[in-house]
Each structure stands twice: as structure tokens, then as C-alpha cells.
PDB file of all heavy atoms in Angstrom:
ATOM      1  N   ALA A 295     143.539 129.150  -9.485  1.00  0.00           N
ATOM      2  CA  ALA A 295     144.600 128.200  -9.833  1.00  0.00           C
ATOM      3  C   ALA A 295     144.087 126.762  -9.755  1.00  0.00           C
ATOM      4  O   ALA A 295     144.417 125.937 -10.612  1.00  0.00           O
ATOM      5  CB  ALA A 295     145.809 128.387  -8.913  1.00  0.00           C
ATOM      6  N   ALA A 296     143.279 126.465  -8.748  1.00  0.00           N
ATOM      7  CA  ALA A 296     142.719 125.115  -8.614  1.00  0.00           C
ATOM      8  C   ALA A 296     141.765 124.817  -9.766  1.00  0.00           C
ATOM      9  O   ALA A 296     141.787 123.714 -10.328  1.00  0.00           O
ATOM     10  CB  ALA A 296     142.000 124.970  -7.272  1.00  0.00           C
ATOM     11  N   ASN A 297     140.941 125.788 -10.131  1.00  0.00           N
ATOM     12  CA  ASN A 297     140.011 125.605 -11.250  1.00  0.00           C
ATOM     13  C   ASN A 297     140.762 125.420 -12.565  1.00  0.00           C
ATOM     14  O   ASN A 297     140.377 124.594 -13.396  1.00  0.00           O
ATOM     15  CB  ASN A 297     139.046 126.785 -11.355  1.00  0.00           C
ATOM     16  CG  ASN A 297     138.023 126.799 -10.244  1.00  0.00           C
ATOM     17  OD1 ASN A 297     137.764 125.788  -9.594  1.00  0.00           O
ATOM     18  ND2 ASN A 297     137.442 127.959  -9.991  1.00  0.00           N
ATOM     19  N   GLU A 298     141.838 126.189 -12.749  1.00  0.00           N
ATOM     20  CA  GLU A 298     142.648 126.055 -13.959  1.00  0.00           C
ATOM     21  C   GLU A 298     143.240 124.655 -14.056  1.00  0.00           C
ATOM     22  O   GLU A 298     143.151 124.002 -15.103  1.00  0.00           O
ATOM     23  CB  GLU A 298     143.776 127.093 -13.963  1.00  0.00           C
ATOM     24  CG  GLU A 298     144.740 126.912 -15.121  1.00  0.00           C
ATOM     25  CD  GLU A 298     145.974 127.791 -15.037  1.00  0.00           C
ATOM     26  OE1 GLU A 298     146.375 128.182 -13.920  1.00  0.00           O
ATOM     27  OE2 GLU A 298     146.551 128.074 -16.102  1.00  0.00           O
ATOM     28  N   ALA A 299     143.831 124.196 -12.969  1.00  0.00           N
ATOM     29  CA  ALA A 299     144.457 122.870 -12.974  1.00  0.00           C
ATOM     30  C   ALA A 299     143.415 121.780 -13.227  1.00  0.00           C
ATOM     31  O   ALA A 299     143.637 120.871 -14.028  1.00  0.00           O
ATOM     32  CB  ALA A 299     145.188 122.630 -11.654  1.00  0.00           C
ATOM     33  N   LYS A 300     142.274 121.887 -12.562  1.00  0.00           N
ATOM     34  CA  LYS A 300     141.204 120.889 -12.737  1.00  0.00           C
ATOM     35  C   LYS A 300     140.725 120.867 -14.189  1.00  0.00           C
ATOM     36  O   LYS A 300     140.560 119.806 -14.792  1.00  0.00           O
ATOM     37  CB  LYS A 300     140.047 121.221 -11.800  1.00  0.00           C
ATOM     38  CG  LYS A 300     138.884 120.260 -11.882  1.00  0.00           C
ATOM     39  CD  LYS A 300     137.773 120.691 -10.941  1.00  0.00           C
ATOM     40  CE  LYS A 300     136.548 119.817 -11.104  1.00  0.00           C
ATOM     41  NZ  LYS A 300     135.429 120.285 -10.308  1.00  0.00           N
ATOM     42  N   ASP A 301     140.527 122.030 -14.757  1.00  0.00           N
ATOM     43  CA  ASP A 301     140.054 122.136 -16.135  1.00  0.00           C
ATOM     44  C   ASP A 301     141.102 121.585 -17.114  1.00  0.00           C
ATOM     45  O   ASP A 301     140.758 120.847 -18.040  1.00  0.00           O
ATOM     46  CB  ASP A 301     139.736 123.597 -16.452  1.00  0.00           C
ATOM     47  CG  ASP A 301     138.845 123.745 -17.665  1.00  0.00           C
ATOM     48  OD1 ASP A 301     137.680 123.312 -17.592  1.00  0.00           O
ATOM     49  OD2 ASP A 301     139.323 124.282 -18.683  1.00  0.00           O
ATOM     50  N   ASN A 302     142.363 121.917 -16.878  1.00  0.00           N
ATOM     51  CA  ASN A 302     143.422 121.440 -17.763  1.00  0.00           C
ATOM     52  C   ASN A 302     143.567 119.925 -17.696  1.00  0.00           C
ATOM     53  O   ASN A 302     143.773 119.279 -18.719  1.00  0.00           O
ATOM     54  CB  ASN A 302     144.742 122.130 -17.438  1.00  0.00           C
ATOM     55  CG  ASN A 302     144.741 123.585 -17.859  1.00  0.00           C
ATOM     56  OD1 ASN A 302     143.835 124.045 -18.550  1.00  0.00           O
ATOM     57  ND2 ASN A 302     145.730 124.327 -17.417  1.00  0.00           N
ATOM     58  N   VAL A 303     143.422 119.360 -16.496  1.00  0.00           N
ATOM     59  CA  VAL A 303     143.469 117.900 -16.369  1.00  0.00           C
ATOM     60  C   VAL A 303     142.324 117.280 -17.157  1.00  0.00           C
ATOM     61  O   VAL A 303     142.514 116.304 -17.888  1.00  0.00           O
ATOM     62  CB  VAL A 303     143.423 117.471 -14.880  1.00  0.00           C
ATOM     63  CG1 VAL A 303     143.123 115.986 -14.738  1.00  0.00           C
ATOM     64  CG2 VAL A 303     144.733 117.821 -14.194  1.00  0.00           C
ATOM     65  N   ARG A 304     141.147 117.866 -17.040  1.00  0.00           N
ATOM     66  CA  ARG A 304     139.975 117.337 -17.749  1.00  0.00           C
ATOM     67  C   ARG A 304     140.213 117.340 -19.261  1.00  0.00           C
ATOM     68  O   ARG A 304     139.942 116.347 -19.950  1.00  0.00           O
ATOM     69  CB  ARG A 304     138.743 118.182 -17.396  1.00  0.00           C
ATOM     70  CG  ARG A 304     137.452 117.663 -17.976  1.00  0.00           C
ATOM     71  CD  ARG A 304     136.260 118.390 -17.391  1.00  0.00           C
ATOM     72  NE  ARG A 304     136.325 119.823 -17.568  1.00  0.00           N
ATOM     73  CZ  ARG A 304     135.642 120.497 -18.493  1.00  0.00           C
ATOM     74  NH1 ARG A 304     134.843 119.858 -19.318  1.00  0.00           N
ATOM     75  NH2 ARG A 304     135.745 121.802 -18.586  1.00  0.00           N
ATOM     76  N   TYR A 305     140.748 118.411 -19.787  1.00  0.00           N
ATOM     77  CA  TYR A 305     141.000 118.494 -21.235  1.00  0.00           C
ATOM     78  C   TYR A 305     142.155 117.583 -21.658  1.00  0.00           C
ATOM     79  O   TYR A 305     142.086 116.938 -22.705  1.00  0.00           O
ATOM     80  CB  TYR A 305     141.276 119.937 -21.661  1.00  0.00           C
ATOM     81  CG  TYR A 305     140.010 120.725 -21.855  1.00  0.00           C
ATOM     82  CD1 TYR A 305     139.533 121.579 -20.869  1.00  0.00           C
ATOM     83  CD2 TYR A 305     139.259 120.602 -23.021  1.00  0.00           C
ATOM     84  CE1 TYR A 305     138.359 122.288 -21.039  1.00  0.00           C
ATOM     85  CE2 TYR A 305     138.091 121.306 -23.208  1.00  0.00           C
ATOM     86  CZ  TYR A 305     137.638 122.147 -22.217  1.00  0.00           C
ATOM     87  OH  TYR A 305     136.472 122.843 -22.395  1.00  0.00           O
ATOM     88  N   LEU A 306     143.215 117.535 -20.860  1.00  0.00           N
ATOM     89  CA  LEU A 306     144.357 116.697 -21.229  1.00  0.00           C
ATOM     90  C   LEU A 306     144.018 115.216 -21.165  1.00  0.00           C
ATOM     91  O   LEU A 306     144.612 114.415 -21.896  1.00  0.00           O
ATOM     92  CB  LEU A 306     145.565 117.019 -20.347  1.00  0.00           C
ATOM     93  CG  LEU A 306     146.229 118.363 -20.657  1.00  0.00           C
ATOM     94  CD1 LEU A 306     147.255 118.718 -19.602  1.00  0.00           C
ATOM     95  CD2 LEU A 306     146.855 118.359 -22.041  1.00  0.00           C
ATOM     96  N   TYR A 307     143.054 114.841 -20.325  1.00  0.00           N
ATOM     97  CA  TYR A 307     142.632 113.434 -20.295  1.00  0.00           C
ATOM     98  C   TYR A 307     142.040 113.011 -21.640  1.00  0.00           C
ATOM     99  O   TYR A 307     142.093 111.828 -21.986  1.00  0.00           O
ATOM    100  CB  TYR A 307     141.622 113.178 -19.170  1.00  0.00           C
ATOM    101  CG  TYR A 307     142.245 112.576 -17.944  1.00  0.00           C
ATOM    102  CD1 TYR A 307     142.132 113.191 -16.708  1.00  0.00           C
ATOM    103  CD2 TYR A 307     142.964 111.379 -18.006  1.00  0.00           C
ATOM    104  CE1 TYR A 307     142.714 112.646 -15.576  1.00  0.00           C
ATOM    105  CE2 TYR A 307     143.546 110.821 -16.881  1.00  0.00           C
ATOM    106  CZ  TYR A 307     143.416 111.463 -15.674  1.00  0.00           C
ATOM    107  OH  TYR A 307     144.003 110.908 -14.561  1.00  0.00           O
ATOM    108  N   THR A 308     141.519 113.956 -22.419  1.00  0.00           N
ATOM    109  CA  THR A 308     141.006 113.586 -23.749  1.00  0.00           C
ATOM    110  C   THR A 308     142.146 113.169 -24.675  1.00  0.00           C
ATOM    111  O   THR A 308     141.918 112.468 -25.661  1.00  0.00           O
ATOM    112  CB  THR A 308     140.201 114.732 -24.409  1.00  0.00           C
ATOM    113  OG1 THR A 308     141.067 115.849 -24.626  1.00  0.00           O
ATOM    114  CG2 THR A 308     139.013 115.149 -23.554  1.00  0.00           C
ATOM    115  N   LEU A 309     143.370 113.587 -24.349  1.00  0.00           N
ATOM    116  CA  LEU A 309     144.541 113.204 -25.152  1.00  0.00           C
ATOM    117  C   LEU A 309     145.203 111.934 -24.626  1.00  0.00           C
ATOM    118  O   LEU A 309     145.999 111.315 -25.337  1.00  0.00           O
ATOM    119  CB  LEU A 309     145.578 114.330 -25.132  1.00  0.00           C
ATOM    120  CG  LEU A 309     145.225 115.608 -25.872  1.00  0.00           C
ATOM    121  CD1 LEU A 309     146.272 116.673 -25.607  1.00  0.00           C
ATOM    122  CD2 LEU A 309     145.098 115.341 -27.360  1.00  0.00           C
ATOM    123  N   ASP A 310     144.874 111.571 -23.407  1.00  0.00           N
ATOM    124  CA  ASP A 310     145.548 110.445 -22.757  1.00  0.00           C
ATOM    125  C   ASP A 310     145.455 109.155 -23.577  1.00  0.00           C
ATOM    126  O   ASP A 310     146.385 108.360 -23.594  1.00  0.00           O
ATOM    127  CB  ASP A 310     144.969 110.239 -21.352  1.00  0.00           C
ATOM    128  CG  ASP A 310     145.826 109.343 -20.503  1.00  0.00           C
ATOM    129  OD1 ASP A 310     147.065 109.445 -20.583  1.00  0.00           O
ATOM    130  OD2 ASP A 310     145.259 108.525 -19.746  1.00  0.00           O
ATOM    131  N   LYS A 311     144.336 108.981 -24.279  1.00  0.00           N
ATOM    132  CA  LYS A 311     144.159 107.752 -25.069  1.00  0.00           C
ATOM    133  C   LYS A 311     145.164 107.660 -26.224  1.00  0.00           C
ATOM    134  O   LYS A 311     145.388 106.585 -26.766  1.00  0.00           O
ATOM    135  CB  LYS A 311     142.724 107.656 -25.596  1.00  0.00           C
ATOM    136  CG  LYS A 311     142.333 108.758 -26.554  1.00  0.00           C
ATOM    137  CD  LYS A 311     140.889 108.637 -26.974  1.00  0.00           C
ATOM    138  CE  LYS A 311     140.472 109.833 -27.797  1.00  0.00           C
ATOM    139  NZ  LYS A 311     139.040 109.949 -27.900  1.00  0.00           N
ATOM    140  N   TYR A 312     145.780 108.790 -26.593  1.00  0.00           N
ATOM    141  CA  TYR A 312     146.777 108.794 -27.671  1.00  0.00           C
ATOM    142  C   TYR A 312     148.192 108.568 -27.138  1.00  0.00           C
ATOM    143  O   TYR A 312     149.064 108.109 -27.864  1.00  0.00           O
ATOM    144  CB  TYR A 312     146.762 110.127 -28.427  1.00  0.00           C
ATOM    145  CG  TYR A 312     145.445 110.428 -29.092  1.00  0.00           C
ATOM    146  CD1 TYR A 312     144.567 111.357 -28.544  1.00  0.00           C
ATOM    147  CD2 TYR A 312     145.070 109.781 -30.269  1.00  0.00           C
ATOM    148  CE1 TYR A 312     143.352 111.639 -29.151  1.00  0.00           C
ATOM    149  CE2 TYR A 312     143.855 110.051 -30.869  1.00  0.00           C
ATOM    150  CZ  TYR A 312     143.005 110.980 -30.308  1.00  0.00           C
ATOM    151  OH  TYR A 312     141.807 111.253 -30.911  1.00  0.00           O
ATOM    152  N   PHE A 313     148.432 108.941 -25.870  1.00  0.00           N
ATOM    153  CA  PHE A 313     149.796 108.942 -25.349  1.00  0.00           C
ATOM    154  C   PHE A 313     150.410 107.550 -25.304  1.00  0.00           C
ATOM    155  O   PHE A 313     151.559 107.370 -25.705  1.00  0.00           O
ATOM    156  CB  PHE A 313     149.848 109.590 -23.963  1.00  0.00           C
ATOM    157  CG  PHE A 313     149.470 111.056 -23.955  1.00  0.00           C
ATOM    158  CD1 PHE A 313     149.078 111.665 -22.779  1.00  0.00           C
ATOM    159  CD2 PHE A 313     149.502 111.814 -25.106  1.00  0.00           C
ATOM    160  CE1 PHE A 313     148.735 113.005 -22.753  1.00  0.00           C
ATOM    161  CE2 PHE A 313     149.148 113.161 -25.096  1.00  0.00           C
ATOM    162  CZ  PHE A 313     148.766 113.754 -23.909  1.00  0.00           C
ATOM    163  N   GLY A 314     149.670 106.557 -24.806  1.00  0.00           N
ATOM    164  CA  GLY A 314     150.186 105.191 -24.728  1.00  0.00           C
ATOM    165  C   GLY A 314     150.506 104.624 -26.102  1.00  0.00           C
ATOM    166  O   GLY A 314     151.642 104.201 -26.371  1.00  0.00           O
ATOM    167  N   PRO A 315     149.511 104.608 -27.013  1.00  0.00           N
ATOM    168  CA  PRO A 315     149.777 104.103 -28.363  1.00  0.00           C
ATOM    169  C   PRO A 315     150.879 104.889 -29.093  1.00  0.00           C
ATOM    170  O   PRO A 315     151.666 104.307 -29.839  1.00  0.00           O
ATOM    171  CB  PRO A 315     148.437 104.269 -29.081  1.00  0.00           C
ATOM    172  CG  PRO A 315     147.422 104.230 -27.990  1.00  0.00           C
ATOM    173  CD  PRO A 315     148.082 104.869 -26.804  1.00  0.00           C
ATOM    174  N   LEU A 316     150.943 106.197 -28.843  1.00  0.00           N
ATOM    175  CA  LEU A 316     151.979 106.999 -29.493  1.00  0.00           C
ATOM    176  C   LEU A 316     153.360 106.555 -29.010  1.00  0.00           C
ATOM    177  O   LEU A 316     154.289 106.436 -29.810  1.00  0.00           O
ATOM    178  CB  LEU A 316     151.771 108.486 -29.209  1.00  0.00           C
ATOM    179  CG  LEU A 316     152.705 109.464 -29.923  1.00  0.00           C
ATOM    180  CD1 LEU A 316     152.533 109.357 -31.440  1.00  0.00           C
ATOM    181  CD2 LEU A 316     152.450 110.892 -29.462  1.00  0.00           C
ATOM    182  N   ALA A 317     153.486 106.282 -27.724  1.00  0.00           N
ATOM    183  CA  ALA A 317     154.780 105.856 -27.175  1.00  0.00           C
ATOM    184  C   ALA A 317     155.218 104.498 -27.730  1.00  0.00           C
ATOM    185  O   ALA A 317     156.405 104.222 -27.828  1.00  0.00           O
ATOM    186  CB  ALA A 317     154.697 105.808 -25.647  1.00  0.00           C
ATOM    187  N   GLN A 318     154.250 103.661 -28.126  1.00  0.00           N
ATOM    188  CA  GLN A 318     154.552 102.305 -28.619  1.00  0.00           C
ATOM    189  C   GLN A 318     154.579 102.222 -30.144  1.00  0.00           C
ATOM    190  O   GLN A 318     154.831 101.158 -30.692  1.00  0.00           O
ATOM    191  CB  GLN A 318     153.486 101.316 -28.102  1.00  0.00           C
ATOM    192  CG  GLN A 318     153.292 101.320 -26.605  1.00  0.00           C
ATOM    193  CD  GLN A 318     154.561 100.986 -25.834  1.00  0.00           C
ATOM    194  OE1 GLN A 318     155.303 100.098 -26.226  1.00  0.00           O
ATOM    195  NE2 GLN A 318     154.828 101.716 -24.769  1.00  0.00           N
ATOM    196  N   ALA A 319     154.335 103.324 -30.806  1.00  0.00           N
ATOM    197  CA  ALA A 319     154.151 103.304 -32.262  1.00  0.00           C
ATOM    198  C   ALA A 319     155.474 103.201 -33.009  1.00  0.00           C
ATOM    199  O   ALA A 319     156.544 103.456 -32.473  1.00  0.00           O
ATOM    200  CB  ALA A 319     153.420 104.573 -32.699  1.00  0.00           C
ATOM    201  N   SER A 320     155.335 102.837 -34.270  1.00  0.00           N
ATOM    202  CA  SER A 320     156.444 102.932 -35.212  1.00  0.00           C
ATOM    203  C   SER A 320     156.178 104.209 -36.019  1.00  0.00           C
ATOM    204  O   SER A 320     155.086 104.761 -35.947  1.00  0.00           O
ATOM    205  CB  SER A 320     156.448 101.717 -36.136  1.00  0.00           C
ATOM    206  OG  SER A 320     155.348 101.781 -37.030  1.00  0.00           O
ATOM    207  N   PRO A 321     157.151 104.673 -36.801  1.00  0.00           N
ATOM    208  CA  PRO A 321     156.887 105.865 -37.604  1.00  0.00           C
ATOM    209  C   PRO A 321     155.651 105.719 -38.506  1.00  0.00           C
ATOM    210  O   PRO A 321     154.902 106.678 -38.696  1.00  0.00           O
ATOM    211  CB  PRO A 321     158.166 106.031 -38.425  1.00  0.00           C
ATOM    212  CG  PRO A 321     159.225 105.452 -37.559  1.00  0.00           C
ATOM    213  CD  PRO A 321     158.565 104.281 -36.880  1.00  0.00           C
ATOM    214  N   VAL A 322     155.400 104.535 -39.016  1.00  0.00           N
ATOM    215  CA  VAL A 322     154.243 104.321 -39.895  1.00  0.00           C
ATOM    216  C   VAL A 322     152.935 104.404 -39.106  1.00  0.00           C
ATOM    217  O   VAL A 322     152.021 105.140 -39.479  1.00  0.00           O
ATOM    218  CB  VAL A 322     154.354 102.961 -40.632  1.00  0.00           C
ATOM    219  CG1 VAL A 322     153.092 102.680 -41.422  1.00  0.00           C
ATOM    220  CG2 VAL A 322     155.565 102.949 -41.542  1.00  0.00           C
ATOM    221  N   THR A 323     152.859 103.668 -37.995  1.00  0.00           N
ATOM    222  CA  THR A 323     151.614 103.688 -37.208  1.00  0.00           C
ATOM    223  C   THR A 323     151.416 105.035 -36.526  1.00  0.00           C
ATOM    224  O   THR A 323     150.286 105.462 -36.295  1.00  0.00           O
ATOM    225  CB  THR A 323     151.585 102.557 -36.157  1.00  0.00           C
ATOM    226  OG1 THR A 323     152.719 102.693 -35.296  1.00  0.00           O
ATOM    227  CG2 THR A 323     151.597 101.201 -36.826  1.00  0.00           C
ATOM    228  N   MET A 324     152.515 105.715 -36.227  1.00  0.00           N
ATOM    229  CA  MET A 324     152.430 107.042 -35.632  1.00  0.00           C
ATOM    230  C   MET A 324     151.696 107.996 -36.581  1.00  0.00           C
ATOM    231  O   MET A 324     150.842 108.770 -36.156  1.00  0.00           O
ATOM    232  CB  MET A 324     153.836 107.573 -35.336  1.00  0.00           C
ATOM    233  CG  MET A 324     153.879 109.013 -34.873  1.00  0.00           C
ATOM    234  SD  MET A 324     155.560 109.586 -34.579  1.00  0.00           S
ATOM    235  CE  MET A 324     156.310 109.462 -36.188  1.00  0.00           C
ATOM    236  N   MET A 325     152.002 107.907 -37.854  1.00  0.00           N
ATOM    237  CA  MET A 325     151.392 108.804 -38.833  1.00  0.00           C
ATOM    238  C   MET A 325     149.884 108.582 -38.935  1.00  0.00           C
ATOM    239  O   MET A 325     149.135 109.498 -39.265  1.00  0.00           O
ATOM    240  CB  MET A 325     152.054 108.649 -40.206  1.00  0.00           C
ATOM    241  CG  MET A 325     153.494 109.150 -40.239  1.00  0.00           C
ATOM    242  SD  MET A 325     153.722 110.811 -39.548  1.00  0.00           S
ATOM    243  CE  MET A 325     152.681 111.773 -40.616  1.00  0.00           C
ATOM    244  N   GLU A 326     149.426 107.377 -38.634  1.00  0.00           N
ATOM    245  CA  GLU A 326     147.987 107.107 -38.646  1.00  0.00           C
ATOM    246  C   GLU A 326     147.282 107.807 -37.481  1.00  0.00           C
ATOM    247  O   GLU A 326     146.104 108.151 -37.579  1.00  0.00           O
ATOM    248  CB  GLU A 326     147.736 105.593 -38.558  1.00  0.00           C
ATOM    249  CG  GLU A 326     148.262 104.822 -39.752  1.00  0.00           C
ATOM    250  CD  GLU A 326     148.295 103.316 -39.512  1.00  0.00           C
ATOM    251  OE1 GLU A 326     147.888 102.862 -38.419  1.00  0.00           O
ATOM    252  OE2 GLU A 326     148.739 102.590 -40.427  1.00  0.00           O
ATOM    253  N   GLN A 327     148.014 108.019 -36.389  1.00  0.00           N
ATOM    254  CA  GLN A 327     147.421 108.625 -35.190  1.00  0.00           C
ATOM    255  C   GLN A 327     147.466 110.150 -35.188  1.00  0.00           C
ATOM    256  O   GLN A 327     146.674 110.787 -34.490  1.00  0.00           O
ATOM    257  CB  GLN A 327     148.151 108.116 -33.944  1.00  0.00           C
ATOM    258  CG  GLN A 327     148.033 106.637 -33.735  1.00  0.00           C
ATOM    259  CD  GLN A 327     148.911 106.162 -32.592  1.00  0.00           C
ATOM    260  OE1 GLN A 327     149.370 106.943 -31.772  1.00  0.00           O
ATOM    261  NE2 GLN A 327     149.149 104.861 -32.539  1.00  0.00           N
ATOM    262  N   VAL A 328     148.373 110.718 -35.941  1.00  0.00           N
ATOM    263  CA  VAL A 328     148.595 112.163 -35.886  1.00  0.00           C
ATOM    264  C   VAL A 328     147.350 112.993 -36.227  1.00  0.00           C
ATOM    265  O   VAL A 328     147.043 113.946 -35.501  1.00  0.00           O
ATOM    266  CB  VAL A 328     149.807 112.564 -36.766  1.00  0.00           C
ATOM    267  CG1 VAL A 328     149.911 114.074 -36.919  1.00  0.00           C
ATOM    268  CG2 VAL A 328     151.089 112.000 -36.170  1.00  0.00           C
ATOM    269  N   PRO A 329     146.592 112.685 -37.281  1.00  0.00           N
ATOM    270  CA  PRO A 329     145.437 113.541 -37.580  1.00  0.00           C
ATOM    271  C   PRO A 329     144.412 113.622 -36.438  1.00  0.00           C
ATOM    272  O   PRO A 329     143.979 114.729 -36.070  1.00  0.00           O
ATOM    273  CB  PRO A 329     144.817 112.896 -38.831  1.00  0.00           C
ATOM    274  CG  PRO A 329     145.960 112.180 -39.481  1.00  0.00           C
ATOM    275  CD  PRO A 329     146.809 111.686 -38.345  1.00  0.00           C
ATOM    276  N   SER A 330     144.058 112.488 -35.853  1.00  0.00           N
ATOM    277  CA  SER A 330     143.066 112.546 -34.763  1.00  0.00           C
ATOM    278  C   SER A 330     143.665 113.189 -33.515  1.00  0.00           C
ATOM    279  O   SER A 330     142.974 113.912 -32.788  1.00  0.00           O
ATOM    280  CB  SER A 330     142.497 111.164 -34.463  1.00  0.00           C
ATOM    281  OG  SER A 330     143.515 110.246 -34.192  1.00  0.00           O
ATOM    282  N   LEU A 331     144.941 112.959 -33.269  1.00  0.00           N
ATOM    283  CA  LEU A 331     145.618 113.618 -32.152  1.00  0.00           C
ATOM    284  C   LEU A 331     145.587 115.134 -32.327  1.00  0.00           C
ATOM    285  O   LEU A 331     145.229 115.880 -31.404  1.00  0.00           O
ATOM    286  CB  LEU A 331     147.062 113.113 -32.047  1.00  0.00           C
ATOM    287  CG  LEU A 331     147.975 113.818 -31.054  1.00  0.00           C
ATOM    288  CD1 LEU A 331     147.496 113.654 -29.624  1.00  0.00           C
ATOM    289  CD2 LEU A 331     149.403 113.300 -31.195  1.00  0.00           C
ATOM    290  N   MET A 332     145.918 115.598 -33.523  1.00  0.00           N
ATOM    291  CA  MET A 332     145.931 117.047 -33.779  1.00  0.00           C
ATOM    292  C   MET A 332     144.521 117.652 -33.731  1.00  0.00           C
ATOM    293  O   MET A 332     144.352 118.780 -33.280  1.00  0.00           O
ATOM    294  CB  MET A 332     146.605 117.345 -35.127  1.00  0.00           C
ATOM    295  CG  MET A 332     148.099 117.135 -35.120  1.00  0.00           C
ATOM    296  SD  MET A 332     148.964 118.243 -33.991  1.00  0.00           S
ATOM    297  CE  MET A 332     149.533 117.127 -32.751  1.00  0.00           C
ATOM    298  N   ASN A 333     143.535 116.888 -34.181  1.00  0.00           N
ATOM    299  CA  ASN A 333     142.152 117.369 -34.064  1.00  0.00           C
ATOM    300  C   ASN A 333     141.761 117.562 -32.605  1.00  0.00           C
ATOM    301  O   ASN A 333     141.080 118.534 -32.257  1.00  0.00           O
ATOM    302  CB  ASN A 333     141.171 116.400 -34.740  1.00  0.00           C
ATOM    303  CG  ASN A 333     141.169 116.540 -36.239  1.00  0.00           C
ATOM    304  OD1 ASN A 333     141.535 117.576 -36.780  1.00  0.00           O
ATOM    305  ND2 ASN A 333     140.774 115.477 -36.925  1.00  0.00           N
ATOM    306  N   THR A 334     142.181 116.647 -31.753  1.00  0.00           N
ATOM    307  CA  THR A 334     141.875 116.767 -30.332  1.00  0.00           C
ATOM    308  C   THR A 334     142.623 117.944 -29.714  1.00  0.00           C
ATOM    309  O   THR A 334     142.060 118.692 -28.906  1.00  0.00           O
ATOM    310  CB  THR A 334     142.215 115.452 -29.598  1.00  0.00           C
ATOM    311  OG1 THR A 334     141.548 114.369 -30.256  1.00  0.00           O
ATOM    312  CG2 THR A 334     141.762 115.498 -28.153  1.00  0.00           C
ATOM    313  N   VAL A 335     143.873 118.150 -30.093  1.00  0.00           N
ATOM    314  CA  VAL A 335     144.631 119.309 -29.618  1.00  0.00           C
ATOM    315  C   VAL A 335     143.935 120.594 -30.054  1.00  0.00           C
ATOM    316  O   VAL A 335     143.790 121.547 -29.267  1.00  0.00           O
ATOM    317  CB  VAL A 335     146.095 119.272 -30.125  1.00  0.00           C
ATOM    318  CG1 VAL A 335     146.813 120.588 -29.851  1.00  0.00           C
ATOM    319  CG2 VAL A 335     146.852 118.113 -29.494  1.00  0.00           C
ATOM    320  N   CYS A 336     143.464 120.621 -31.288  1.00  0.00           N
ATOM    321  CA  CYS A 336     142.740 121.792 -31.805  1.00  0.00           C
ATOM    322  C   CYS A 336     141.459 122.031 -31.005  1.00  0.00           C
ATOM    323  O   CYS A 336     141.131 123.172 -30.663  1.00  0.00           O
ATOM    324  CB  CYS A 336     142.420 121.597 -33.279  1.00  0.00           C
ATOM    325  SG  CYS A 336     141.633 123.018 -34.042  1.00  0.00           S
ATOM    326  N   MET A 337     140.740 120.949 -30.689  1.00  0.00           N
ATOM    327  CA  MET A 337     139.520 121.065 -29.886  1.00  0.00           C
ATOM    328  C   MET A 337     139.844 121.665 -28.519  1.00  0.00           C
ATOM    329  O   MET A 337     139.123 122.552 -28.031  1.00  0.00           O
ATOM    330  CB  MET A 337     138.873 119.686 -29.730  1.00  0.00           C
ATOM    331  CG  MET A 337     137.575 119.641 -28.952  1.00  0.00           C
ATOM    332  SD  MET A 337     137.682 119.455 -27.154  1.00  0.00           S
ATOM    333  CE  MET A 337     138.684 118.031 -26.918  1.00  0.00           C
TER     334      MET A 337
END
């Protein structure tokens, strides 16, 4: 369980750079971020 949590935190931190800008985005700027966000989710 500890290894799972540690690993998940490590992977989710790769998405962290999208979370702040996504929260501040407009629908137009949000659409610019979606492809790279989804690529990271896929990774």
C-alpha cells in the first residue's frame, strides 16, 4: 500500500503542472491544454 501510494504520487505529480493553469483557464485556453494533459494521462 505504501509503494502504491508513493508510485501514484510520483505519477500524479507529472500532471500537477496542468492543474493550476487548468483551474485558471478560460474555455479557449483550456482547449489548448487538453491534448498535452491527455497525453500525460495516457502515459
